Amino acid sequence: MGLERPGLALANLASLPHISAAGAIATGTHGSGDHNQGLASAVLALELVDADGELRELSRDADPVLFPGAVVALGALGVVTELTLAVEPAYDVSQRVHLGLSLERLAADFDAVFASGYSVSAFTSWDPDRAAVWVKHRTGAAEPAGSVAGAVPATTPQHPIGGMPAHNCTAQLGEPGPWHDRLPHFRAAFTPSRGDELQSEYLLPREQAATAIARLRALGPRLAPLLHTSEIRTVAADDLWLSPAYRRDSVAFHFTWIADPTAVAPLLASIEDALLPLGARPHWGKLFSCTPEQLDRAVPRLRDFAALAQDFDPKGKFRNDLLATWLPASQA
Ligand SMILES: Cc1cc2nc3c(=O)[nH]c(=O)nc-3n(C[C@H](O)[C@H](O)[C@H](O)COP(=O)(O)OP(=O)(O)OC[C@H]3O[C@@H](n4cnc5c(N)ncnc54)[C@H](O)[C@@H]3O)c2cc1C
């Protein structure tokens, strides 16, 4: 990517630096921030080896119609061998964790809480009804004085998961550092999150945040025993066909589950019952249980993408059972 050269930065990162750019982009991976789009939105051009072994180059400038379909592509179009990303001058970030925000207040003051920093995440287990708010500032921007919506700044470093060492996390307590060592929650050389876990995430239109929080609070006593933690973030709209934030500013509800798929499955169904009617779209890189019909309704450009995949790969060289289930054109 060239980012090893000093002085360059991406606008945002996911919660961990351990993932590859190609894998994160292919699955629509995102961080948080009212004005921050997912990582795939930084892609200006890509090169891939297609099903015939031919090298194809696509760019936003040269292929404005197809390009938004080819970036979050689930590996279905070919093997990405090169990515050109939009960068900006390197910047520093500081972060503080604010503890004890009630979920009722989070829902009521949603916009203010998520506007309190460049990148903001709220962690909760849904029961008890409290959240910790991780606020990341680009240095130079004004830090909120004192509390965020009544939540008070932590005086010791925190980990999003109770019982895990805060040492695994990037520096907190307002200590400035380079963008790549503050925007992710987890440090590159250490175990991210719990390590042994399942994950799910759903992105909804941002205006549904309060309703979704109320519905998830109602599920709280069932969710909490199977959760390591849950993270609420905001993601800015983009134009990438398979992006869960396609054409809508979004609120994202992430769940870090214990590693027990049988126990988690009924909860995914309950969460989807609660959130799909609000316009939820699942994160492609995490567990979900939507039927193909539900997915087709939730993802507006799924059929266009299926046609694009068919065009790039008519014999299905890059198709697997999962893609065959998800993509409508291949269900025939
Ligand atoms: C601890 C943890 C924290 C996470 N935090 C976040 C987060 O903050 N935000 C978020 O949105 N997600 C998050 N995720 C999910 C994660 O970003 C996705 O699972 C992402 O796909 C992982 O990247 P990877 O490099 O491991 O992908 P891989 O598993 O290697 O790849 C994912 C898919 O991408 C495609 N792919 C990979 N490489 C290529 C290539 N060269 N060409 C074509 N297709 C390719 C393939 O279809 C592949 O199946 C997290 C996951 C974990 C485990």
Side-chain angles (χ1 to χ4, degrees):
M1 293 196 295
L3 286 178
E4 62 277 8
R5 277 192 287 140
L8 296 179
L10 293 167
N12 203 8
L13 288 173
S15 68
L16 74 174
H18 307 66
I19 49 182
S20 70
I25 286 163
T27 55
T29 290
H30 61 89
S32 189
D34 287 355
H35 304 291
N36 291 329
Q37 299 172 314
L39 180 61
S41 295
V43 180
L44 300 175
L46 60 82
E47 186 184 272
L48 59 77
V49 178
D50 72 12
D52 294 325
E54 300 294 327
L55 204 57
R56 292 210 202 187
E57 293 176 6
L58 293 165
S59 75
R60 193 170 265 288
D61 285 344
D63 313 279
V65 177
L66 279 192
F67 189 73
V71 183
V72 180
L74 310 175
L77 305 186
V79 180
V80 173
T81 50
E82 198 170 298
L83 290 159
T84 305
L85 303 180
V87 290
E88 58 185 279
Y91 52 90
D92 281 352
V93 173
S94 67
Q95 64 178 331
R96 282 189 196 281
V97 178
H98 298 253
L99 301 172
L101 179 64
S102 78
L103 294 180
E104 194 174 0
R105 182 88 186 264
L106 176 64
D109 290 347
F110 187 86
D111 286 343
V113 170
F114 281 89
S116 66
Y118 177 71
S119 173
V120 176
S121 293
F123 285 95
T124 182
S125 67
W126 297 102
D127 185 22
D129 207 353
R130 286 280 179 277
V133 186
W134 291 49
V135 181
K136 299 172 196 260
H137 282 274
R138 286 176 73 138
T139 53
E143 267 205 64
S147 74
V148 172
V152 290
T155 52
T156 55
Q158 306 290 309
H159 191 288
I161 299 174
M164 292 295 290
H167 182 67
N168 293 4
C169 295
T170 50
Q172 301 160 30
L173 306 178
E175 181 190 328
W179 63 283
H180 55 80
D181 197 25
R182 293 294 182 278
L183 290 174
H185 306 318
F186 305 109
R187 294 167 73 192
F190 296 84
T191 302
S193 191
R194 173 76 189 202
D196 180 20
E197 66 199 50
L198 304 173
Q199 299 189 359
S200 309
E201 190 169 30
Y202 301 90
L203 277 74
L204 281 71
R206 185 188 166 111
E207 56 273 19
Q208 298 289 5
T211 308
I213 289 171
R215 292 187 181 187
L216 292 169
R217 283 177 68 199
L219 290 173
R222 287 180 59 210
L223 300 178
L226 299 185
L227 274 179
H228 290 305
T229 191
S230 181
E231 182 176 8
I232 306 169
R233 291 178 277 191
T234 55
V235 187
D238 61 40
D239 69 343
L240 303 173
W241 296 0
L242 290 194
S243 165
Y246 176 72
R247 291 200 176 159
R248 63 188 201 193
D249 288 335
S250 299
V251 54
F253 293 93
H254 162 90
F255 304 86
T256 302
W257 306 106
I258 62 167
D260 183 346
T262 309
V264 167
L267 283 179
L268 291 186
S270 297
I271 290 171
E272 289 171 12
D273 284 348
L275 300 187
L276 286 179
L278 303 179
R281 297 174 185 157
H283 188 308
W284 296 108
K286 305 183 182 183
L287 277 181
F288 57 89
S289 67
C290 306
T291 63
E293 294 72 26
Q294 287 172 321
L295 206 54
D296 195 15
R297 277 198 295 277
V299 181
R301 301 299 296 271
L302 191 63
R303 285 173 183 270
D304 292 334
F305 179 77
L308 186 66
Q310 188 65 24
D311 180 49
F312 268 66
D313 180 17
K315 294 187 183 145
K317 192 169 279 182
F318 296 116
R319 203 77 38 90
N320 59 16
D321 289 347
L322 196 59
L323 282 178
T325 311
W326 287 349
L327 300 184
S330 53
Q331 290 162 32

